[in-house]
Amino acid sequence: MLISAASRRMGRLALLKESLEMRRAALAATFVALFAAPAFALTVSDVDTDGDSLISFAEMAVLYPEMTEAEFAAVDANADSMVDEAELSAALEAELIAAPAQ
């Protein structure tokens, strides 16, 4: 009886430890999903209307009608008159533009 009671106790402890590890993993995954994912869900494809994977001033003005050409130029870091995915992400992160309300 002593062996079986001790075995049961060890089995319960193993289950508790496994349950705790699973909870930690689930919590870590939730934390990563909440904080590692970009907070700025806006992408070039959300704004690009001609399918060239770039945003022109005219395309940006549809989403941001108050944007001036000077503000667009601040977002267009390489000054090629188009905004690519990296420039859009950087502008959102630097708060040069705000993600539009859903």
Side-chain angles (χ1 to χ4, degrees):
M1 281 279 224
L2 290 176
I3 293 175
S4 65
S7 292
R8 282 192 302 245
R9 210 172 297 133
M10 293 296 275
R12 282 188 224 141
L13 286 174
L15 286 174
L16 287 172
K17 183 178 178 184
E18 184 177 327
S19 175
L20 180 61
E21 288 173 5
M22 290 175 65
R23 287 180 186 186
R24 283 183 183 162
L27 182 61
T30 301
F31 191 77
V32 166
L34 288 174
F35 296 105
F40 318 110
L42 184 67
T43 64
V44 166
S45 62
D46 296 327
V47 185
D48 178 29
T49 58
D50 62 9
D52 64 355
S53 299
L54 297 168
I55 304 171
S56 66
F57 176 71
E59 290 169 324
M60 188 75 87
V62 171
L63 194 59
Y64 299 99
E66 303 297 319
M67 179 176 274
T68 65
E69 289 190 38
E71 291 168 332
F72 182 82
V75 174
D76 179 23
N78 65 3
D80 65 352
S81 299
M82 302 297 270
V83 172
D84 61 26
E85 197 73 53
E87 291 169 323
L88 181 62
S89 294
L92 288 163
E93 190 172 326
E95 298 179 358
L96 294 175
I97 56 174
Q102 299 294 335

